[in-house]
Amino acid sequence: MRLLTLGLAILRASLTVSASVTVYPTATTTIAASAANYTGAAAYDPTVLQPPPVPSGLNTQFVIQLQNGGTDKLSLPQNGSFIGFSVEMSVVNQVLGTNSTILEVPFLNLMANLQERSGRVNIRVGGNSQDTAVLVNSTPDGKMLEKNVTGASNPTQTPPLIYAPDLLYMMANIFALVNIHWFVGIPFLINDTATRLAITQQAYEILGDRLMGIQIGNEPDLYQAHGHYTSYGPFDYFGDFGVYVEDMNDANLPGTNLLVGPSIAYADWTTEDVWNTGYPTDNCALRFNTGGAIQDPQTIFPDFLSHTSQYSGNSIIQKFLNSTQFAITNKKRLLMMETNTGSCGGFAGISDAFGAALWGIDYAFQMAYNNFAGGMIHVGGQNEYYNPFTPPPTNQSTFHQWTIGPTYYSALVAAESIGPSNDTQVLDLGANNGNVYTPAYAFYENGDPVRVGIINYVTDPTGASDLQVQIAIGGSGIGQPNQSPASVKVKYTLFFVPPSLISNADKGQRYLLADSVSQKANFTWAGQARHLSFHIAYSR
């Protein structure tokens, strides 16, 4: 039987759900010999890690007290589209479509799942490959995009690109089918103002009101370290950014209000210098032989499975809190433009295991609670462990399907939890006396709690670490009518939804299921979705 990981239930006192969530796991598995000898693409690596041991002294029974109205420390209103995706420009012809007339149907369906819950999806097309990408009228072989693989540079082996306007028309045709809004990246490592202006102008004209922003350069804090410049600091970027604004004004181009940047790796600059992205750690030493210390996935796995550990969402966002407040003060919002479990492709057994889904849920809610404008989960190619979804290799696309990664489920849960009202406020409850293995969040609309999310990071096949949680809404103790639901048993995450906010088909409980935090296949959402290499999953 499978271990409960995510459920949906109606929030009302008469509901009894504990019996329906008593689900016990099978034994967990460790790294197999076959995995140690695996030499294929990272996206299909079979490595399975050992789950962390059960922590001692875990309190499994606690009360969450909520009230209608008057709750302080709520976040700013957030959109259900809070978690989107960052698609590396060099793989858009694999992920989005071959060209403007041949779109990837699995991608459209995955985005439609999110739109159904949130109303829309935000996607950035960019990344390292945007910085050497040139827009041309047509490519030599007539394709939408071409890569110069022999010209790959920097530690991540990013290939220079040329692409035709058909790429932008493909994005426009996608949003005709699914409500997607776009960020587009322009190059900063090519000293060609005409190229930048052409991309900006055509993106503005072709994408229209679905264009959310033009990203000016990518990770400029690494330009010097990667050998692109002998010296390049924040003031150099500020100057280059200002020059481009002047270039747009001189060319009479609209859209200077859509310019965003920089998207930094937080490597050599701080957010007090400039803003935007953050990975918890990196796997560059192993993937690209940088000479740095190689991290052992089994050793660092527990650091992704706690609310406050060094790679948790809570820890990641600490260095951005001054910047989020600075942005709000200046009537702006801070966006996590690109993130995932680890830069340079992530880690085998961590980024592609179910624990990453829980990590992503906690991270998303932390960003929302701390007033980020949103976060974008990065999507790369076949040699990445961390992809939320991966199309099959081109030469296998006729007989293999897509692989759905755990962080896609993070986006799915975030969309359903925050919802489509675009007015949801988030609160980190500090539940269970702030226990790091059982974080909980409440979601408010019009000042009242409408959903609660509880995470249990502990894998325990005995069932002794199941949570018994009482959700108390109102009550005589705070001078309000009692609107509390019954106690519920939780394995990993349980969400409560009032009947007025869900359809008839969804009334009752819905679960995201897996056997343990280290599991890499057969995730189920509402009994329908699954996570298998080369098998598409459509969640409803």
Side-chain angles (χ1 to χ4, degrees):
M1 301 178 71
R2 291 197 179 101
L3 181 68
L4 173 67
T5 55
L6 172 76
L8 287 174
I10 300 170
L11 206 171
R12 58 183 178 190
S14 61
L15 177 68
T16 302
V17 298
S18 57
S20 66
V21 296
T22 304
V23 184
Y24 298 95
T26 57
T28 55
T29 55
T30 57
I31 299 176
S34 59
N37 298 323
Y38 179 75
T39 58
Y44 316 111
D45 191 317
T47 300
V48 178
L49 303 178
Q50 178 70 35
V54 177
S56 61
L58 178 68
N59 180 38
T60 60
Q61 299 183 32
F62 55 93
V63 176
I64 293 176
Q65 176 67 61
L66 305 173
Q67 66 182 38
N68 287 322
T71 302
D72 60 5
K73 298 183 180 179
L74 300 180
S75 73
L76 295 175
Q78 299 288 10
N79 297 328
S81 57
F82 186 86
I83 294 297
F85 301 98
S86 161
V87 179
E88 189 66 43
M89 185 171 279
S90 60
V91 300
V92 292
N93 57 339
Q94 302 169 42
V95 176
L96 305 186
T98 304
N99 53 46
S100 62
T101 60
I102 304 175
L103 307 180
E104 286 289 352
V105 174
F107 171 79
L108 297 175
N109 283 325
L110 291 168
M111 296 305 103
N113 289 340
L114 296 170
Q115 178 189 303
E116 180 181 350
R117 292 160 172 82
S118 64
R120 71 184 241 192
V121 184
N122 301 327
I123 295 180
R124 168 252 205 161
V125 172
N128 285 334
S129 53
Q130 81 182 51
D131 259 336
T132 53
V134 177
L135 178 66
V136 296
N137 291 330
S138 62
T139 63
D141 64 4
K143 294 182 179 180
M144 179 184 70
L145 179 148
E146 291 186 22
K147 306 174 189 178
N148 178 11
V149 179
T150 60
S153 63
N154 73 42
T156 59
Q157 293 298 294
T158 304
L161 307 175
I162 58 173
Y163 65 94
D166 198 45
L167 188 152
L168 298 171
Y169 284 108
M170 175 180 66
M171 294 162 65
N173 287 344
I174 288 172
F175 75 60
L177 300 171
V178 184
N179 188 17
I180 293 177
H181 292 235
W182 304 94
F183 289 91
V184 177
I186 66 171
F188 242 38
L189 293 179
I190 297 174
N191 189 20
D192 186 347
T193 300
T195 290
R196 298 172 187 164
L197 291 174
I199 298 171
T200 300
Q201 180 176 1
Q202 294 205 41
Y204 190 85
E205 293 175 350
I206 294 170
L207 300 178
D209 62 3
R210 301 301 179 94
L211 178 64
M212 292 187 67
I214 300 289
Q215 181 195 345
I216 308 299
N218 187 70
E219 298 180 354
D221 56 324
L222 294 176
Y223 285 175
Q224 180 178 332
H226 288 175
H228 301 303
Y229 292 95
T230 56
S231 176
Y232 197 88
F235 285 100
D236 297 301
Y237 180 82
F238 291 154
D240 289 344
F241 194 108
V243 168
Y244 189 64
V245 172
E246 293 177 0
D247 291 339
M248 288 183 64
N249 289 332
D250 291 343
N252 294 317
L253 285 185
T256 54
N257 62 315
L258 296 178
L259 298 182
V260 297
S263 174
I264 66 168
Y266 207 81
D268 298 323
W269 300 354
T270 69
T271 48
E272 280 66 34
D273 295 326
V274 286
W275 298 346
N276 260 359
T277 73
Y279 284 83
T281 184
D282 71 79
N283 195 23
C284 300
L286 177 65
R287 298 291 309 285
F288 301 108
N289 194 28
T290 63
I294 294 175
Q295 300 200 74
D296 171 39
Q298 184 64 70
T299 301
I300 65 174
F301 193 20
D303 291 326
F304 290 85
L305 300 172
S306 160
H307 186 57
T308 59
S309 59
Q310 64 173 328
Y311 299 146
S312 68
N314 179 280
S315 295
I316 294 169
I317 59 95
Q318 293 303 311
K319 56 181 172 282
F320 298 102
L321 296 183
N322 289 340
S323 292
T324 57
Q325 188 56 49
F326 177 77
I328 292 167
T329 301
N330 288 274
K331 302 186 185 327
K332 303 290 184 182
R333 296 288 296 276
L334 188 66
L335 177 68
M336 191 67 78
M337 185 68 78
E338 174 186 327
T339 192
N340 214 306
T341 47
S343 60
C344 295
F347 298 90
I350 296 177
S351 304
D352 48 4
F354 194 78
L358 300 180
W359 169 87
I361 293 168
D362 200 4
Y363 185 12
F365 293 162
Q366 272 298 298
M367 286 191 287
Y369 170 59
N370 285 283
N371 296 320
F372 280 75
M376 297 191 177
I377 301 170
H378 197 53
V379 184
Q382 299 288 320
N383 288 320
E384 322 294 351
Y385 298 107
Y386 59 35
N387 288 337
F389 37 80
T390 306
T394 303
N395 62 355
Q396 300 178 31
S397 60
T398 59
F399 55 91
H400 275 150
Q401 299 185 53
W402 286 42
T403 299
I404 310 306
T407 51
Y408 175 76
Y409 294 95
S410 303
L412 197 67
V413 171
E416 191 142 354
S417 302
I418 298 175
S421 72
N422 296 332
D423 195 36
T424 302
Q425 295 175 278
V426 183
L427 178 64
D428 183 341
L429 295 169
N432 199 12
N433 292 317
N435 189 285
V436 298
Y437 300 108
T438 62
Y441 297 85
F443 303 88
Y444 292 74
E445 294 181 4
N446 299 316
D448 295 338
V450 294
R451 290 173 290 277
V452 172
I454 306 166
I455 298 172
N456 186 346
Y457 277 116
V458 179
T459 294
D460 184 354
T462 70
S465 299
D466 296 358
L467 304 181
Q468 296 282 350
V469 183
Q470 180 180 350
I471 310 297
I473 302 178
S476 59
I478 60 173
Q480 291 187 345
N482 184 7
Q483 301 179 23
S484 305
S487 296
V488 295
K489 184 177 288 187
V490 183
K491 282 281 188 176
Y492 276 139
T493 312
L494 182 61
F495 284 85
F496 303 90
V497 183
S500 61
L501 297 182
I502 56 177
S503 67
N504 289 331
D506 290 337
K507 290 186 187 298
Q509 297 110 48
R510 305 176 69 194
Y511 307 109
L512 179 60
L513 301 172
D515 289 333
S516 83
V517 293
S518 63
Q519 183 174 320
K520 300 183 66 166
N522 292 325
F523 309 160
T524 64
W525 171 249
Q528 295 182 23
R530 57 182 177 165
H531 171 85
L532 281 172
S533 294
F534 300 131
H535 288 77
I536 190 64
Y538 296 140
S539 304
R540 290 299 177 198

